[in-house]
Amino acid sequence: MDVKTKKIAAAGLSSFLLVAMVVAVAAGVEGGNPVPVPNSGGNTAVHAICTSTDYKKTCEKSLASTNSSDPQELIKVAFNFAIDDIQEAIKNSTLYKQAAADPRTKGALEVCEEVLDTSVEDLRRSFDRVGNLDMSKLKQYIEDVKTWLSGAITNHETCLDTFQNTTGDTGEKMRNLLHSSGMLLSNGLAMVGDISSIFSSLSQGVGGFFSRRLLAEEELKSDFDGKVTDAGPPPFVDAEARRMMTANVFTLKPNIVVAQDGSGQFKTINGALSTLPKKSDAPIVIHVKAGFYKENVILPKKVNNIVLIGDGPLKTRISGSKNYVDGTQTFHSATLAVNADGFIAKDIAIENTAGPLKHQAVAVRVSGDKAIFFNVHMYGFQDTLYAHTYRQYYRDCTITGTIDFIFGDAAAVFQNCHLVVRKPMENQACMVTAQGRKERRSIGATVLQDCHIMAEPAFINTVPPLKAYLGRPWKEFSRTIIMQTLIDGFIAPEGWSPWQGNFALDTLYYGEYMNCGPGSDLSRRVRWKGIQNINDAIAQSFTPGRLFAGDEWVTQSGVPYVAGMVPKKKV
C-alpha cells in the first residue's frame, strides 16, 4: 500500500474504494455472466456484504433499516441487530427462570443468562473494533473480532446445550428465541472475513480483491482458513501486549500471598480474588503457597491479567467435587472457572474428585481469551478440562480423565503435555478429545503438538481390554489436529469414534501428522470424509504462531513456547 492510500485509510476516507469493491462483487461474474442478486431495496452494498453469508435473507433483513454503503457501518448495524436479538432472549430467559419448577431447567437458564450476556459483550467489543480499524494493526484487529464472534457463537450454543436433560418445553422455547440470533452471529463472522479481504486488497485494486476472495473461498472449503499464507505475528505491539510485557512468570513478584498457615494476606484463593477491582487490566500476581485448598475458584469477567502461581503441582492443589449428577450444570461444576482475559496459571494442581459415577465433573473451565497454563496438573474423569472458547495455550501440563476429558471450542494448543487416560466405569469407552466447533468459519480447534498420549496402569491392566480413542465430534465442525506426538498402543486402531450414528462424520476435520509410538499407525484408521490427509503446509497452519495469528501474549509471558513445528519429534 502506498503512502497516499495509507493516509486515506487512516483518515477514514476509504469508503469510496470499499463501496466500489463491494459493488463489483455484487455484480461479479461467474463463467462470464453476471451473478444475479436478490432484491433488498436497491442497496447494492447490502447485496454485496451479504453475498458471503450463509443466511442471506436474514442478513439483508438485518440491514434493511440503513441506507449506508460503507461496509464498516453495515457490519456495525448487523452487530447491533444481533445484540438486540440476544438481549430479547435474555429478557425472556429471566421470565422463564422465575416460572420454572424444575431445578435442572432453572440451572440451565442461569447458564443461559451468563453466557448470552457474554455474547452481547463480545458483539459490543467487536463493534468497537470494527468501528475503529487501524490499518497498521489490521490483521490483529480482524483476528480479535473473529475470535470474539466465534466466542459469541460458542456461548450461544452453550446455552442451548444446557437443556439436553431438562423437562418441559423451556429448552425448545429458548431454541426458538435464539434461532435468528444464531444466523446473525454466523453472518457476522462471514462479513468480517469478507471485509478482511477487502481491506487487505486496497493496495492491489479490485482485481487483487477478486483473487484473494477466490483463494479465501478455496481455503474455507479445505478448512485451512487462510493460515498457510500467514507470515506470523504482526510487527506491532498493542496496549494489552505492553501491559503483559511485565507479566513474565519467571520474574514477577507476588502482589498477594495466599497461605493456609496464615503466613499470607489470605487463607483462601477466593478471599484474595474478592478484593480485586471489578474491571482491571493491570497484572496482579497471586502466590498460592503449598497446601490443599478445598474451594471452587471463580475468576470473574473483566478481572483481567491475573497470574496464579503455586509452589508446584505436587504441593499446591485446588480441589472441588461439583458434578452434574448431584444437580450442578456442567458449565458451573468447574473447580477453577476462568471468565477473564489474560489469565496465567503456573506450578499448581486442580482436581475434581467427584469420580466416574458422577459423570460430568469439570476440573478447569476456561472462558477467557489469551489464557496460559504452564506446569499445571488437572485431575478428573469425565469432562476434566473445558477449553470453552477464545485462545488458549497449555505447556508442560498433565491432564487426566476418561470421557471427552478435553472438550470445548477454544483455539487451544497443547505443547509437551501428558494426556493420561484413566479407567472408566464398566461398558464405557474413553475419549481424549471432544472438540465442539459449531460454525465452519470459527477459530475453534484442539491442537495436540509434541505431547504424550498415555494410560494409567489401572486402564492398561483391565481384562478384557478397554477401548480408548483420540476423540469424537461433539459438534458438526469439530476440528482436532494431533501432530509430533507420542501415542501409546492402547489407542484403538480406528483412532476416532463417532458421536452418534453418522453425525458430523462428513463435516468434521481430524488430522494426524508426524506422530510416533504404537498407537500412531494410520493404516487401520476410520475412513470418514472428514478425516484429513495432513501435509507439512497444513500442519504448519495449525502451529500456534499461525493458529493464534498474533502470539505476543504467549511470547512475552516467558513460558516455554514453540511458534512453529517442534524441531525434534519424540522417538
PDB file of all heavy atoms in Angstrom, residues 28-44:
ATOM      1  N   GLY A  28     -20.448  -9.310  -9.685  1.00  0.00           N
ATOM      2  CA  GLY A  28     -19.335 -10.135 -10.137  1.00  0.00           C
ATOM      3  C   GLY A  28     -19.744 -11.137 -11.187  1.00  0.00           C
ATOM      4  O   GLY A  28     -20.908 -11.402 -11.420  1.00  0.00           O
ATOM      5  N   VAL A  29     -18.755 -11.697 -11.851  1.00  0.00           N
ATOM      6  CA  VAL A  29     -19.046 -12.610 -12.954  1.00  0.00           C
ATOM      7  C   VAL A  29     -18.740 -14.032 -12.542  1.00  0.00           C
ATOM      8  O   VAL A  29     -17.847 -14.300 -11.751  1.00  0.00           O
ATOM      9  CB  VAL A  29     -18.228 -12.228 -14.205  1.00  0.00           C
ATOM     10  CG1 VAL A  29     -18.663 -10.892 -14.726  1.00  0.00           C
ATOM     11  CG2 VAL A  29     -16.732 -12.240 -13.910  1.00  0.00           C
ATOM     12  N   GLU A  30     -19.529 -14.958 -13.074  1.00  0.00           N
ATOM     13  CA  GLU A  30     -19.310 -16.381 -12.875  1.00  0.00           C
ATOM     14  C   GLU A  30     -19.445 -17.028 -14.242  1.00  0.00           C
ATOM     15  O   GLU A  30     -20.507 -17.053 -14.839  1.00  0.00           O
ATOM     16  CB  GLU A  30     -20.342 -16.947 -11.913  1.00  0.00           C
ATOM     17  CG  GLU A  30     -20.121 -18.420 -11.607  1.00  0.00           C
ATOM     18  CD  GLU A  30     -21.121 -18.907 -10.581  1.00  0.00           C
ATOM     19  OE1 GLU A  30     -21.718 -18.079  -9.905  1.00  0.00           O
ATOM     20  OE2 GLU A  30     -21.290 -20.126 -10.487  1.00  0.00           O
ATOM     21  N   GLY A  31     -18.333 -17.483 -14.800  1.00  0.00           N
ATOM     22  CA  GLY A  31     -18.361 -18.027 -16.154  1.00  0.00           C
ATOM     23  C   GLY A  31     -18.652 -16.975 -17.192  1.00  0.00           C
ATOM     24  O   GLY A  31     -19.177 -17.236 -18.265  1.00  0.00           O
ATOM     25  N   GLY A  32     -18.319 -15.685 -16.861  1.00  0.00           N
ATOM     26  CA  GLY A  32     -18.501 -14.610 -17.814  1.00  0.00           C
ATOM     27  C   GLY A  32     -19.861 -13.957 -17.760  1.00  0.00           C
ATOM     28  O   GLY A  32     -20.115 -12.981 -18.459  1.00  0.00           O
ATOM     29  N   ASN A  33     -20.779 -14.473 -16.919  1.00  0.00           N
ATOM     30  CA  ASN A  33     -22.124 -13.915 -16.831  1.00  0.00           C
ATOM     31  C   ASN A  33     -22.342 -13.237 -15.493  1.00  0.00           C
ATOM     32  O   ASN A  33     -21.822 -13.674 -14.475  1.00  0.00           O
ATOM     33  CB  ASN A  33     -23.168 -15.025 -17.012  1.00  0.00           C
ATOM     34  CG  ASN A  33     -23.079 -15.666 -18.372  1.00  0.00           C
ATOM     35  OD1 ASN A  33     -22.939 -14.966 -19.375  1.00  0.00           O
ATOM     36  ND2 ASN A  33     -23.135 -16.992 -18.411  1.00  0.00           N
ATOM     37  N   PRO A  34     -23.138 -12.165 -15.450  1.00  0.00           N
ATOM     38  CA  PRO A  34     -23.421 -11.512 -14.177  1.00  0.00           C
ATOM     39  C   PRO A  34     -24.104 -12.465 -13.213  1.00  0.00           C
ATOM     40  O   PRO A  34     -24.952 -13.260 -13.613  1.00  0.00           O
ATOM     41  CB  PRO A  34     -24.362 -10.361 -14.580  1.00  0.00           C
ATOM     42  CG  PRO A  34     -24.142 -10.158 -16.030  1.00  0.00           C
ATOM     43  CD  PRO A  34     -23.786 -11.498 -16.586  1.00  0.00           C
ATOM     44  N   VAL A  35     -23.713 -12.382 -11.948  1.00  0.00           N
ATOM     45  CA  VAL A  35     -24.353 -13.184 -10.915  1.00  0.00           C
ATOM     46  C   VAL A  35     -25.575 -12.443 -10.411  1.00  0.00           C
ATOM     47  O   VAL A  35     -25.460 -11.307  -9.947  1.00  0.00           O
ATOM     48  CB  VAL A  35     -23.381 -13.449  -9.738  1.00  0.00           C
ATOM     49  CG1 VAL A  35     -24.079 -14.227  -8.648  1.00  0.00           C
ATOM     50  CG2 VAL A  35     -22.155 -14.186 -10.240  1.00  0.00           C
ATOM     51  N   PRO A  36     -26.777 -13.022 -10.496  1.00  0.00           N
ATOM     52  CA  PRO A  36     -27.973 -12.319 -10.034  1.00  0.00           C
ATOM     53  C   PRO A  36     -27.959 -12.144  -8.526  1.00  0.00           C
ATOM     54  O   PRO A  36     -27.452 -12.994  -7.809  1.00  0.00           O
ATOM     55  CB  PRO A  36     -29.110 -13.258 -10.461  1.00  0.00           C
ATOM     56  CG  PRO A  36     -28.483 -14.609 -10.548  1.00  0.00           C
ATOM     57  CD  PRO A  36     -27.074 -14.371 -11.014  1.00  0.00           C
ATOM     58  N   VAL A  37     -28.488 -11.025  -8.062  1.00  0.00           N
ATOM     59  CA  VAL A  37     -28.571 -10.768  -6.627  1.00  0.00           C
ATOM     60  C   VAL A  37     -30.022 -10.500  -6.284  1.00  0.00           C
ATOM     61  O   VAL A  37     -30.789  -9.989  -7.075  1.00  0.00           O
ATOM     62  CB  VAL A  37     -27.703  -9.551  -6.217  1.00  0.00           C
ATOM     63  CG1 VAL A  37     -26.250  -9.859  -6.422  1.00  0.00           C
ATOM     64  CG2 VAL A  37     -28.104  -8.309  -6.996  1.00  0.00           C
ATOM     65  N   PRO A  38     -30.452 -10.871  -5.042  1.00  0.00           N
ATOM     66  CA  PRO A  38     -31.836 -10.668  -4.654  1.00  0.00           C
ATOM     67  C   PRO A  38     -32.147  -9.200  -4.458  1.00  0.00           C
ATOM     68  O   PRO A  38     -31.260  -8.369  -4.279  1.00  0.00           O
ATOM     69  CB  PRO A  38     -31.937 -11.442  -3.330  1.00  0.00           C
ATOM     70  CG  PRO A  38     -30.550 -11.456  -2.799  1.00  0.00           C
ATOM     71  CD  PRO A  38     -29.659 -11.515  -3.993  1.00  0.00           C
ATOM     72  N   ASN A  39     -33.424  -8.894  -4.439  1.00  0.00           N
ATOM     73  CA  ASN A  39     -33.876  -7.518  -4.272  1.00  0.00           C
ATOM     74  C   ASN A  39     -34.014  -7.196  -2.788  1.00  0.00           C
ATOM     75  O   ASN A  39     -34.723  -7.865  -2.071  1.00  0.00           O
ATOM     76  CB  ASN A  39     -35.218  -7.326  -4.984  1.00  0.00           C
ATOM     77  CG  ASN A  39     -35.733  -5.899  -4.872  1.00  0.00           C
ATOM     78  OD1 ASN A  39     -34.961  -5.006  -4.521  1.00  0.00           O
ATOM     79  ND2 ASN A  39     -36.988  -5.702  -5.175  1.00  0.00           N
ATOM     80  N   SER A  40     -33.323  -6.200  -2.296  1.00  0.00           N
ATOM     81  CA  SER A  40     -33.484  -5.771  -0.898  1.00  0.00           C
ATOM     82  C   SER A  40     -33.448  -4.256  -0.841  1.00  0.00           C
ATOM     83  O   SER A  40     -32.631  -3.662  -0.153  1.00  0.00           O
ATOM     84  CB  SER A  40     -32.389  -6.373  -0.016  1.00  0.00           C
ATOM     85  OG  SER A  40     -31.129  -5.869  -0.376  1.00  0.00           O
ATOM     86  N   GLY A  41     -34.324  -3.633  -1.592  1.00  0.00           N
ATOM     87  CA  GLY A  41     -34.439  -2.180  -1.506  1.00  0.00           C
ATOM     88  C   GLY A  41     -33.452  -1.444  -2.367  1.00  0.00           C
ATOM     89  O   GLY A  41     -33.336  -0.234  -2.269  1.00  0.00           O
ATOM     90  N   GLY A  42     -32.678  -2.140  -3.178  1.00  0.00           N
ATOM     91  CA  GLY A  42     -31.788  -1.465  -4.100  1.00  0.00           C
ATOM     92  C   GLY A  42     -30.448  -1.070  -3.532  1.00  0.00           C
ATOM     93  O   GLY A  42     -29.664  -0.433  -4.212  1.00  0.00           O
ATOM     94  N   ASN A  43     -30.143  -1.418  -2.290  1.00  0.00           N
ATOM     95  CA  ASN A  43     -28.852  -1.093  -1.700  1.00  0.00           C
ATOM     96  C   ASN A  43     -27.840  -2.144  -2.147  1.00  0.00           C
ATOM     97  O   ASN A  43     -27.771  -3.238  -1.607  1.00  0.00           O
ATOM     98  CB  ASN A  43     -28.951  -1.053  -0.171  1.00  0.00           C
ATOM     99  CG  ASN A  43     -27.700  -0.465   0.462  1.00  0.00           C
ATOM    100  OD1 ASN A  43     -26.607  -0.575  -0.099  1.00  0.00           O
ATOM    101  ND2 ASN A  43     -27.854   0.150   1.608  1.00  0.00           N
ATOM    102  N   THR A  44     -27.048  -1.785  -3.155  1.00  0.00           N
ATOM    103  CA  THR A  44     -26.110  -2.747  -3.731  1.00  0.00           C
ATOM    104  C   THR A  44     -25.048  -3.164  -2.731  1.00  0.00           C
ATOM    105  O   THR A  44     -24.596  -4.308  -2.736  1.00  0.00           O
ATOM    106  CB  THR A  44     -25.429  -2.136  -4.971  1.00  0.00           C
ATOM    107  OG1 THR A  44     -26.435  -1.616  -5.829  1.00  0.00           O
ATOM    108  CG2 THR A  44     -24.613  -3.170  -5.706  1.00  0.00           C
TER     109      THR A  44
END
